[in-house]
Amino acid sequence: MAVVDAVPVPAPGPATAAAPGPLRRILRDRVGAAALAVVVLFLLLAAGAPLIAALYGKNPVEHYGQNAPGLLSDGGLPMLPNGGVSGDFWFGLEPGLGRDVFTQLLYGIRTSLLIAFAAATVTTALGVLAGVAVGYLGGIADRLFGFLANVLLAFPTLLLLLALSPIIQSRLVDPGAAEPEWMQFLVLILVFSAFGWIPLALSLRATVRSLRERDFVQSARAQGASRFHVVVHELLPNVRSQLLVHATMAVPTYVASEAALSFLGVGITEPVPDWGRMISRGSEVFQADPTYMVFPGVALLLFVIAFNLLGDTVRDALDPRSGTR
């Protein structure tokens, strides 16, 4: 049910132009437009990784340095300078195994984005269910949720992530059996979802508690609308912007968290390409081959910064009180 103000609105004229839409406001923001371009580039690279790798003629799992002579030294380091960068290997070779760095980066994007988008979707759904329901019901449900949320937020999240990941893996995989790739993704998504929904739920709870006293909600109740109708048709449309901003800001957080867990050895394992594991390996050989750590580090930095800047721009574009910067 729409809320209509009684104040007459003048027709658009030379001095009263229609407000630009959110996408146009993002594109008019130079920082936001640049961040959007970087994010779209990463998404295209992730989606087209198999095609790009096929055209490039390499894959992320073959040990090129070990299979061809003259590429790696006896110590496992690339023979050519700058980590083995050449016309055949654009970003060089991985020390030790001799895998192609460029294709590892491409498929590492797919790994990070798949986990991040899945975790953001699950946490957003859980946050909506909990926050909207508790905010609308109020009473004892609201008090119990507040207590539960405060208890969960008191836990050291990183330590719990480090502890929960191997526990879940041991429960889902038989002893001695190889862990399938999909299991690694599922475990990380479950671990991130265990705590990632709480901030959104708390935010939606406060928003819905304010909205439920508004005239349009009271009018719907007076007309006999069910609770389901009020929540779906009256409350949810008023928090869509909040959900979009949360999802946009959550993706880079999960990308960085997944890389951190893989760096610590409890995330994605071999042979699945992963940025965090590449950075971990790069830190081990940094003095002998600093180039190998540069590429995944720069890629992760660019992606996280671009997505965070895009999230800020989306928030400003959806906020009617914000102006064009």
PDB file of all heavy atoms in Angstrom, residues 214-238:
ATOM      1  N   ARG A 214       4.033   2.950  11.354  1.00  0.00           N
ATOM      2  CA  ARG A 214       3.683   3.959  10.354  1.00  0.00           C
ATOM      3  C   ARG A 214       2.236   3.814   9.922  1.00  0.00           C
ATOM      4  O   ARG A 214       1.601   2.759  10.062  1.00  0.00           O
ATOM      5  CB  ARG A 214       4.605   3.823   9.139  1.00  0.00           C
ATOM      6  CG  ARG A 214       6.078   4.050   9.435  1.00  0.00           C
ATOM      7  CD  ARG A 214       6.387   5.524   9.578  1.00  0.00           C
ATOM      8  NE  ARG A 214       6.162   6.220   8.329  1.00  0.00           N
ATOM      9  CZ  ARG A 214       7.070   6.306   7.351  1.00  0.00           C
ATOM     10  NH1 ARG A 214       8.257   5.730   7.500  1.00  0.00           N
ATOM     11  NH2 ARG A 214       6.786   6.971   6.251  1.00  0.00           N
ATOM     12  N   ASP A 215       1.692   4.893   9.351  1.00  0.00           N
ATOM     13  CA  ASP A 215       0.262   4.930   9.002  1.00  0.00           C
ATOM     14  C   ASP A 215      -0.106   3.878   7.965  1.00  0.00           C
ATOM     15  O   ASP A 215      -1.183   3.276   8.037  1.00  0.00           O
ATOM     16  CB  ASP A 215      -0.101   6.323   8.479  1.00  0.00           C
ATOM     17  CG  ASP A 215      -0.049   7.378   9.575  1.00  0.00           C
ATOM     18  OD1 ASP A 215      -0.093   6.986  10.764  1.00  0.00           O
ATOM     19  OD2 ASP A 215       0.053   8.580   9.244  1.00  0.00           O
ATOM     20  N   PHE A 216       0.777   3.630   6.981  1.00  0.00           N
ATOM     21  CA  PHE A 216       0.406   2.703   5.919  1.00  0.00           C
ATOM     22  C   PHE A 216       0.321   1.267   6.439  1.00  0.00           C
ATOM     23  O   PHE A 216      -0.493   0.471   5.956  1.00  0.00           O
ATOM     24  CB  PHE A 216       1.364   2.804   4.730  1.00  0.00           C
ATOM     25  CG  PHE A 216       2.778   2.398   5.022  1.00  0.00           C
ATOM     26  CD1 PHE A 216       3.216   1.108   4.757  1.00  0.00           C
ATOM     27  CD2 PHE A 216       3.686   3.301   5.542  1.00  0.00           C
ATOM     28  CE1 PHE A 216       4.520   0.727   5.011  1.00  0.00           C
ATOM     29  CE2 PHE A 216       4.994   2.933   5.804  1.00  0.00           C
ATOM     30  CZ  PHE A 216       5.412   1.647   5.542  1.00  0.00           C
ATOM     31  N   VAL A 217       1.128   0.927   7.446  1.00  0.00           N
ATOM     32  CA  VAL A 217       1.032  -0.404   8.045  1.00  0.00           C
ATOM     33  C   VAL A 217      -0.216  -0.504   8.905  1.00  0.00           C
ATOM     34  O   VAL A 217      -0.947  -1.514   8.858  1.00  0.00           O
ATOM     35  CB  VAL A 217       2.289  -0.712   8.876  1.00  0.00           C
ATOM     36  CG1 VAL A 217       2.139  -2.045   9.611  1.00  0.00           C
ATOM     37  CG2 VAL A 217       3.520  -0.750   7.985  1.00  0.00           C
ATOM     38  N   GLN A 218      -0.490   0.542   9.681  1.00  0.00           N
ATOM     39  CA  GLN A 218      -1.693   0.532  10.508  1.00  0.00           C
ATOM     40  C   GLN A 218      -2.952   0.489   9.645  1.00  0.00           C
ATOM     41  O   GLN A 218      -3.948  -0.164  10.003  1.00  0.00           O
ATOM     42  CB  GLN A 218      -1.710   1.774  11.406  1.00  0.00           C
ATOM     43  CG  GLN A 218      -0.560   1.850  12.394  1.00  0.00           C
ATOM     44  CD  GLN A 218      -0.582   0.720  13.405  1.00  0.00           C
ATOM     45  OE1 GLN A 218      -1.639   0.197  13.747  1.00  0.00           O
ATOM     46  NE2 GLN A 218       0.593   0.326  13.870  1.00  0.00           N
ATOM     47  N   SER A 219      -2.918   1.174   8.499  1.00  0.00           N
ATOM     48  CA  SER A 219      -4.068   1.154   7.598  1.00  0.00           C
ATOM     49  C   SER A 219      -4.293  -0.247   7.028  1.00  0.00           C
ATOM     50  O   SER A 219      -5.440  -0.700   6.910  1.00  0.00           O
ATOM     51  CB  SER A 219      -3.846   2.158   6.466  1.00  0.00           C
ATOM     52  OG  SER A 219      -4.884   2.090   5.520  1.00  0.00           O
ATOM     53  N   ALA A 220      -3.212  -0.930   6.668  1.00  0.00           N
ATOM     54  CA  ALA A 220      -3.341  -2.289   6.150  1.00  0.00           C
ATOM     55  C   ALA A 220      -3.918  -3.216   7.210  1.00  0.00           C
ATOM     56  O   ALA A 220      -4.765  -4.072   6.914  1.00  0.00           O
ATOM     57  CB  ALA A 220      -1.977  -2.804   5.679  1.00  0.00           C
ATOM     58  N   ARG A 221      -3.486  -3.054   8.444  1.00  0.00           N
ATOM     59  CA  ARG A 221      -4.038  -3.873   9.523  1.00  0.00           C
ATOM     60  C   ARG A 221      -5.524  -3.599   9.711  1.00  0.00           C
ATOM     61  O   ARG A 221      -6.336  -4.523   9.899  1.00  0.00           O
ATOM     62  CB  ARG A 221      -3.300  -3.572  10.833  1.00  0.00           C
ATOM     63  CG  ARG A 221      -1.884  -4.108  10.907  1.00  0.00           C
ATOM     64  CD  ARG A 221      -1.256  -3.641  12.207  1.00  0.00           C
ATOM     65  NE  ARG A 221       0.073  -4.180  12.401  1.00  0.00           N
ATOM     66  CZ  ARG A 221       0.879  -3.812  13.386  1.00  0.00           C
ATOM     67  NH1 ARG A 221       0.481  -2.891  14.267  1.00  0.00           N
ATOM     68  NH2 ARG A 221       2.076  -4.344  13.499  1.00  0.00           N
ATOM     69  N   ALA A 222      -5.882  -2.311   9.665  1.00  0.00           N
ATOM     70  CA  ALA A 222      -7.285  -1.942   9.868  1.00  0.00           C
ATOM     71  C   ALA A 222      -8.190  -2.516   8.783  1.00  0.00           C
ATOM     72  O   ALA A 222      -9.379  -2.790   9.024  1.00  0.00           O
ATOM     73  CB  ALA A 222      -7.419  -0.425   9.922  1.00  0.00           C
ATOM     74  N   GLN A 223      -7.645  -2.710   7.589  1.00  0.00           N
ATOM     75  CA  GLN A 223      -8.420  -3.274   6.492  1.00  0.00           C
ATOM     76  C   GLN A 223      -8.452  -4.794   6.517  1.00  0.00           C
ATOM     77  O   GLN A 223      -8.989  -5.418   5.611  1.00  0.00           O
ATOM     78  CB  GLN A 223      -7.845  -2.795   5.159  1.00  0.00           C
ATOM     79  CG  GLN A 223      -7.974  -1.290   4.946  1.00  0.00           C
ATOM     80  CD  GLN A 223      -7.369  -0.847   3.626  1.00  0.00           C
ATOM     81  OE1 GLN A 223      -7.277  -1.624   2.693  1.00  0.00           O
ATOM     82  NE2 GLN A 223      -6.957   0.415   3.564  1.00  0.00           N
ATOM     83  N   GLY A 224      -7.874  -5.388   7.563  1.00  0.00           N
ATOM     84  CA  GLY A 224      -7.933  -6.837   7.723  1.00  0.00           C
ATOM     85  C   GLY A 224      -6.832  -7.598   7.029  1.00  0.00           C
ATOM     86  O   GLY A 224      -6.958  -8.821   6.843  1.00  0.00           O
ATOM     87  N   ALA A 225      -5.742  -6.933   6.648  1.00  0.00           N
ATOM     88  CA  ALA A 225      -4.634  -7.626   5.983  1.00  0.00           C
ATOM     89  C   ALA A 225      -3.968  -8.593   6.950  1.00  0.00           C
ATOM     90  O   ALA A 225      -3.803  -8.298   8.136  1.00  0.00           O
ATOM     91  CB  ALA A 225      -3.610  -6.618   5.456  1.00  0.00           C
ATOM     92  N   SER A 226      -3.581  -9.739   6.440  1.00  0.00           N
ATOM     93  CA  SER A 226      -2.900 -10.737   7.270  1.00  0.00           C
ATOM     94  C   SER A 226      -1.476 -10.297   7.564  1.00  0.00           C
ATOM     95  O   SER A 226      -0.940  -9.387   6.927  1.00  0.00           O
ATOM     96  CB  SER A 226      -2.887 -12.088   6.562  1.00  0.00           C
ATOM     97  OG  SER A 226      -2.130 -12.003   5.358  1.00  0.00           O
ATOM     98  N   ARG A 227      -0.845 -10.967   8.533  1.00  0.00           N
ATOM     99  CA  ARG A 227       0.542 -10.653   8.854  1.00  0.00           C
ATOM    100  C   ARG A 227       1.451 -10.909   7.658  1.00  0.00           C
ATOM    101  O   ARG A 227       2.383 -10.142   7.396  1.00  0.00           O
ATOM    102  CB  ARG A 227       1.001 -11.490  10.048  1.00  0.00           C
ATOM    103  CG  ARG A 227       0.385 -11.080  11.377  1.00  0.00           C
ATOM    104  CD  ARG A 227       0.939 -11.930  12.503  1.00  0.00           C
ATOM    105  NE  ARG A 227       0.449 -11.480  13.789  1.00  0.00           N
ATOM    106  CZ  ARG A 227       0.758 -12.031  14.953  1.00  0.00           C
ATOM    107  NH1 ARG A 227       1.584 -13.091  14.979  1.00  0.00           N
ATOM    108  NH2 ARG A 227       0.286 -11.556  16.088  1.00  0.00           N
ATOM    109  N   PHE A 228       1.167 -11.982   6.930  1.00  0.00           N
ATOM    110  CA  PHE A 228       1.980 -12.295   5.747  1.00  0.00           C
ATOM    111  C   PHE A 228       1.879 -11.166   4.727  1.00  0.00           C
ATOM    112  O   PHE A 228       2.874 -10.752   4.139  1.00  0.00           O
ATOM    113  CB  PHE A 228       1.513 -13.611   5.137  1.00  0.00           C
ATOM    114  CG  PHE A 228       2.260 -14.012   3.897  1.00  0.00           C
ATOM    115  CD1 PHE A 228       3.506 -14.630   3.986  1.00  0.00           C
ATOM    116  CD2 PHE A 228       1.737 -13.757   2.634  1.00  0.00           C
ATOM    117  CE1 PHE A 228       4.208 -14.989   2.853  1.00  0.00           C
ATOM    118  CE2 PHE A 228       2.428 -14.104   1.496  1.00  0.00           C
ATOM    119  CZ  PHE A 228       3.668 -14.728   1.597  1.00  0.00           C
ATOM    120  N   HIS A 229       0.666 -10.665   4.502  1.00  0.00           N
ATOM    121  CA  HIS A 229       0.478  -9.568   3.547  1.00  0.00           C
ATOM    122  C   HIS A 229       1.212  -8.315   4.002  1.00  0.00           C
ATOM    123  O   HIS A 229       1.862  -7.637   3.191  1.00  0.00           O
ATOM    124  CB  HIS A 229      -1.014  -9.267   3.385  1.00  0.00           C
ATOM    125  CG  HIS A 229      -1.284  -8.088   2.495  1.00  0.00           C
ATOM    126  ND1 HIS A 229      -1.448  -8.210   1.130  1.00  0.00           N
ATOM    127  CD2 HIS A 229      -1.416  -6.751   2.771  1.00  0.00           C
ATOM    128  CE1 HIS A 229      -1.667  -7.017   0.608  1.00  0.00           C
ATOM    129  NE2 HIS A 229      -1.653  -6.106   1.589  1.00  0.00           N
ATOM    130  N   VAL A 230       1.114  -8.004   5.282  1.00  0.00           N
ATOM    131  CA  VAL A 230       1.768  -6.802   5.797  1.00  0.00           C
ATOM    132  C   VAL A 230       3.284  -6.902   5.625  1.00  0.00           C
ATOM    133  O   VAL A 230       3.938  -5.955   5.190  1.00  0.00           O
ATOM    134  CB  VAL A 230       1.400  -6.590   7.280  1.00  0.00           C
ATOM    135  CG1 VAL A 230       2.247  -5.466   7.877  1.00  0.00           C
ATOM    136  CG2 VAL A 230      -0.074  -6.269   7.422  1.00  0.00           C
ATOM    137  N   VAL A 231       3.847  -8.075   5.946  1.00  0.00           N
ATOM    138  CA  VAL A 231       5.294  -8.244   5.855  1.00  0.00           C
ATOM    139  C   VAL A 231       5.763  -8.186   4.406  1.00  0.00           C
ATOM    140  O   VAL A 231       6.727  -7.476   4.074  1.00  0.00           O
ATOM    141  CB  VAL A 231       5.725  -9.574   6.508  1.00  0.00           C
ATOM    142  CG1 VAL A 231       7.179  -9.880   6.194  1.00  0.00           C
ATOM    143  CG2 VAL A 231       5.507  -9.516   8.015  1.00  0.00           C
ATOM    144  N   VAL A 232       5.069  -8.937   3.519  1.00  0.00           N
ATOM    145  CA  VAL A 232       5.532  -9.063   2.134  1.00  0.00           C
ATOM    146  C   VAL A 232       5.242  -7.801   1.325  1.00  0.00           C
ATOM    147  O   VAL A 232       6.098  -7.346   0.545  1.00  0.00           O
ATOM    148  CB  VAL A 232       4.884 -10.296   1.473  1.00  0.00           C
ATOM    149  CG1 VAL A 232       5.220 -10.343  -0.014  1.00  0.00           C
ATOM    150  CG2 VAL A 232       5.338 -11.565   2.165  1.00  0.00           C
ATOM    151  N   HIS A 233       4.063  -7.219   1.491  1.00  0.00           N
ATOM    152  CA  HIS A 233       3.634  -6.121   0.623  1.00  0.00           C
ATOM    153  C   HIS A 233       3.835  -4.736   1.231  1.00  0.00           C
ATOM    154  O   HIS A 233       3.813  -3.741   0.487  1.00  0.00           O
ATOM    155  CB  HIS A 233       2.161  -6.299   0.240  1.00  0.00           C
ATOM    156  CG  HIS A 233       1.889  -7.536  -0.549  1.00  0.00           C
ATOM    157  ND1 HIS A 233       2.175  -7.641  -1.892  1.00  0.00           N
ATOM    158  CD2 HIS A 233       1.387  -8.745  -0.178  1.00  0.00           C
ATOM    159  CE1 HIS A 233       1.833  -8.852  -2.325  1.00  0.00           C
ATOM    160  NE2 HIS A 233       1.365  -9.543  -1.304  1.00  0.00           N
ATOM    161  N   GLU A 234       4.009  -4.649   2.536  1.00  0.00           N
ATOM    162  CA  GLU A 234       4.163  -3.343   3.156  1.00  0.00           C
ATOM    163  C   GLU A 234       5.567  -3.107   3.702  1.00  0.00           C
ATOM    164  O   GLU A 234       6.121  -2.026   3.539  1.00  0.00           O
ATOM    165  CB  GLU A 234       3.138  -3.187   4.307  1.00  0.00           C
ATOM    166  CG  GLU A 234       1.709  -3.470   3.921  1.00  0.00           C
ATOM    167  CD  GLU A 234       1.165  -2.480   2.906  1.00  0.00           C
ATOM    168  OE1 GLU A 234       1.756  -1.401   2.743  1.00  0.00           O
ATOM    169  OE2 GLU A 234       0.148  -2.782   2.262  1.00  0.00           O
ATOM    170  N   LEU A 235       6.149  -4.124   4.352  1.00  0.00           N
ATOM    171  CA  LEU A 235       7.436  -3.931   5.015  1.00  0.00           C
ATOM    172  C   LEU A 235       8.625  -4.219   4.096  1.00  0.00           C
ATOM    173  O   LEU A 235       9.562  -3.416   4.019  1.00  0.00           O
ATOM    174  CB  LEU A 235       7.511  -4.812   6.265  1.00  0.00           C
ATOM    175  CG  LEU A 235       6.497  -4.481   7.372  1.00  0.00           C
ATOM    176  CD1 LEU A 235       6.633  -5.459   8.525  1.00  0.00           C
ATOM    177  CD2 LEU A 235       6.688  -3.049   7.858  1.00  0.00           C
ATOM    178  N   LEU A 236       8.608  -5.368   3.416  1.00  0.00           N
ATOM    179  CA  LEU A 236       9.759  -5.735   2.583  1.00  0.00           C
ATOM    180  C   LEU A 236      10.089  -4.710   1.504  1.00  0.00           C
ATOM    181  O   LEU A 236      11.272  -4.424   1.266  1.00  0.00           O
ATOM    182  CB  LEU A 236       9.543  -7.114   1.960  1.00  0.00           C
ATOM    183  CG  LEU A 236       9.714  -8.307   2.899  1.00  0.00           C
ATOM    184  CD1 LEU A 236       9.511  -9.615   2.147  1.00  0.00           C
ATOM    185  CD2 LEU A 236      11.102  -8.294   3.546  1.00  0.00           C
ATOM    186  N   PRO A 237       9.088  -4.135   0.801  1.00  0.00           N
ATOM    187  CA  PRO A 237       9.437  -3.119  -0.201  1.00  0.00           C
ATOM    188  C   PRO A 237      10.179  -1.921   0.381  1.00  0.00           C
ATOM    189  O   PRO A 237      10.902  -1.239  -0.339  1.00  0.00           O
ATOM    190  CB  PRO A 237       8.076  -2.703  -0.775  1.00  0.00           C
ATOM    191  CG  PRO A 237       7.203  -3.889  -0.561  1.00  0.00           C
ATOM    192  CD  PRO A 237       7.639  -4.461   0.744  1.00  0.00           C
ATOM    193  N   ASN A 238      10.012  -1.667   1.675  1.00  0.00           N
ATOM    194  CA  ASN A 238      10.653  -0.519   2.293  1.00  0.00           C
ATOM    195  C   ASN A 238      12.061  -0.820   2.808  1.00  0.00           C
ATOM    196  O   ASN A 238      12.729   0.087   3.322  1.00  0.00           O
ATOM    197  CB  ASN A 238       9.789  -0.010   3.454  1.00  0.00           C
ATOM    198  CG  ASN A 238       8.557   0.730   2.977  1.00  0.00           C
ATOM    199  OD1 ASN A 238       8.602   1.907   2.641  1.00  0.00           O
ATOM    200  ND2 ASN A 238       7.436   0.023   2.929  1.00  0.00           N
TER     201      ASN A 238
END
